[in-house]
Amino acid sequence: MTIKFYHKDSKTYYTEEGGYLIASDTKVQIVRGIPRFVESSAYAEAFGVQWNRFKKLQLDSFTGTHFTRVRLERCLGADVKQILADKLVLEAGSGAGRFTEYLAPYCKELYTFDLSSAIDANYENNRNEKTQFFQGDILNIPFENEVFDLVICLGVLQHTPSTEKAIHELWRVVKPGGKLIADHYHFRWSYYTTVIPFFRFFVKRLPPKYSMKIVQLLVDIFFPIHWKLRHSKIFKWILGHISPVLTNIEAFEEKGYDFNKDTAYLETYDVLADYYKKLITKSELERILKNLDNVENYTIEKGGNGWEYRVTKKLC
């Protein structure tokens, strides 16, 4: 790999020695082929549990669909092969690797990380010679300034302690002429008319082994109702407001009951167990982007996951 890990405090590169990366007085253990710059943080622990249990359920190669590719290309604003060719790419918050699956084959080199042990699921799903996997913190990325052609962060920023700090740290490692590609949940009052915030208040505070059991119980109770009433628009609307269970039956109905129930386990756990869930207005996002240094231009569009935006850094 051409880009070396960097210790910002000592301004030195890490060197590998005896199963560790070493820089100054810092030792980073390499476990199962993955450098671990952080231990699984408490706020991200649930994601590790989630993605190691449902490690393939969102992969297009597993579902036989193109949902992930469509979303990725919409955010990129171009065909994945076209925009990634000969690019050095950083993927932040990769989870089990639904986007890694498309990024790795087409870019020059890919560096992908997650704060949680979900990186192990990604490594298992997408291990290849062009990709460096590591466990790290989006608020303290172990690279020098301005090294990546593309920095991609999808489905992540709303789950961090500070959206603004995370965007600034991602922007720091974008090279002149490069782009930051990201998204974020958008603010909507309708979210607060559902029972999701109520259930989240309790579930997100539980250790993952207990929160998963609660979610399993909720899905076992409510999913059969969702499935039985799946063709009724009125009852689907009602269930959307009184049920804590999320489903994606419209997309995967042909795959049958069991597959959709597994998807409901994943989607419901994802929405109830994440410690941070931030919603942002377009004006607040614009304020953050305008405060970045050396912005040439940016675009913000409404997409399936909220605000989807691309920011280009000025050439020096």
Side-chain angles (χ1 to χ4, degrees):
M1 307 300 284
T2 58
I3 300 177
K4 295 182 178 180
F5 291 113
Y6 188 72
H7 189 264
K8 292 189 294 182
D9 292 338
S10 65
K11 295 182 173 55
T12 58
Y13 293 105
Y14 285 93
T15 58
E16 186 173 347
E17 182 180 328
Y20 289 87
L21 296 179
I22 300 173
S24 185
D25 57 351
T26 302
K27 293 178 68 175
V28 174
Q29 191 172 13
I30 302 172
V31 181
R32 296 186 296 278
I34 302 172
R36 312 283 176 162
F37 290 90
V38 294
E39 296 180 359
S40 291
S41 169
Y43 85 81
E45 186 180 0
F47 287 112
V49 171
Q50 170 182 318
W51 293 121
N52 278 288
R53 173 168 178 178
F54 303 106
K55 62 185 64 175
K56 293 187 180 297
L57 204 53
Q58 283 193 339
L59 301 182
D60 280 359
S61 61
F62 178 77
T63 63
T65 65
H66 298 287
F67 290 117
T68 295
R69 179 163 187 157
V70 168
R71 178 177 166 189
L72 177 60
E73 293 189 334
R74 186 178 65 237
C75 291
L76 292 171
D79 177 82
V80 66
K81 296 180 182 179
Q82 173 188 338
I83 198 168
L84 292 177
D86 298 319
K87 296 292 194 302
L88 293 173
V89 178
L90 175 68
E91 180 189 19
S94 55
R98 64 181 301 189
F99 299 109
T100 311
E101 182 173 61
Y102 286 109
L103 298 173
Y106 303 121
C107 64
K108 180 180 179 181
E109 291 180 4
L110 174 65
Y111 297 76
T112 183
F113 73 95
D114 200 277
L115 181 61
S116 76
S117 61
I119 195 65
D120 293 288
N122 192 357
Y123 185 76
E124 181 178 327
N125 285 333
N126 295 298
R127 182 180 179 183
N128 65 84
E129 293 181 354
K130 292 200 301 182
T131 303
Q132 171 67 65
F133 300 82
F134 65 99
Q135 190 171 352
D137 187 352
I138 198 171
L139 299 178
N140 187 23
I141 301 172
F143 294 108
E144 283 190 282
N145 297 343
E146 301 183 340
V147 291
F148 290 99
D149 299 300
L150 285 176
V151 174
I152 298 172
C153 184
L154 300 178
V156 177
L157 290 168
Q158 56 265 5
H159 303 303
T160 65
S162 172
T163 294
E164 186 164 6
K165 289 180 180 178
I167 289 176
H168 276 269
E169 180 66 354
L170 293 169
W171 187 245
R172 180 183 66 80
V173 298
V174 177
K175 67 169 55 173
K179 295 180 184 292
L180 168 63
I181 313 290
D183 63 7
H184 199 293
Y185 290 160
H186 65 281
F187 181 84
R188 59 198 187 282
W189 286 112
S190 60
Y191 170 74
Y192 298 100
T193 67
T194 71
V195 296
I196 296 297
F198 172 79
F199 280 91
R200 283 197 72 252
F201 180 84
F202 299 101
V203 174
K204 74 176 188 177
R205 289 170 167 78
L206 298 173
K209 65 178 180 179
Y210 296 117
S211 61
M212 182 64 78
K213 290 180 179 179
I214 294 297
V215 167
Q216 288 175 328
L217 177 62
L218 292 172
V219 172
D220 288 344
I221 293 171
F222 284 95
F223 180 76
I225 304 172
H226 282 270
W227 182 258
K228 186 174 183 179
L229 302 175
R230 65 190 182 279
H231 296 141
S232 169
K233 291 183 179 180
I234 293 175
F235 282 108
K236 282 198 297 184
W237 183 87
I238 294 172
L239 283 170
H241 287 78
I242 66 172
S243 169
V245 170
L246 266 68
T247 70
N248 203 8
I249 294 173
E250 288 186 6
F252 296 113
E253 183 177 357
E254 75 283 357
K255 290 189 172 294
Y257 183 91
D258 291 339
F259 180 92
N260 278 276
K261 189 174 183 181
D262 282 344
T263 300
Y265 286 134
L266 167 60
E267 298 291 349
T268 305
Y269 190 78
D270 187 80
V271 78
L272 296 184
D274 53 330
Y275 193 79
Y276 295 105
K277 186 186 298 294
K278 300 177 184 296
L279 310 181
I280 196 171
T281 63
K282 186 175 182 179
S283 60
E284 176 63 11
L285 179 56
E286 286 181 326
R287 181 194 65 79
I288 293 172
L289 299 184
K290 287 176 180 178
N291 285 335
L292 297 174
D293 294 329
N294 301 318
V295 172
E296 179 177 299
N297 59 65
Y298 67 83
T299 62
I300 303 175
E301 298 175 349
K302 193 80 151 305
N305 203 42
W307 303 119
E308 298 175 344
Y309 52 99
R310 299 186 291 274
V311 196
T312 303
K313 184 173 282 191
K314 291 179 182 177
L315 282 168
C316 297

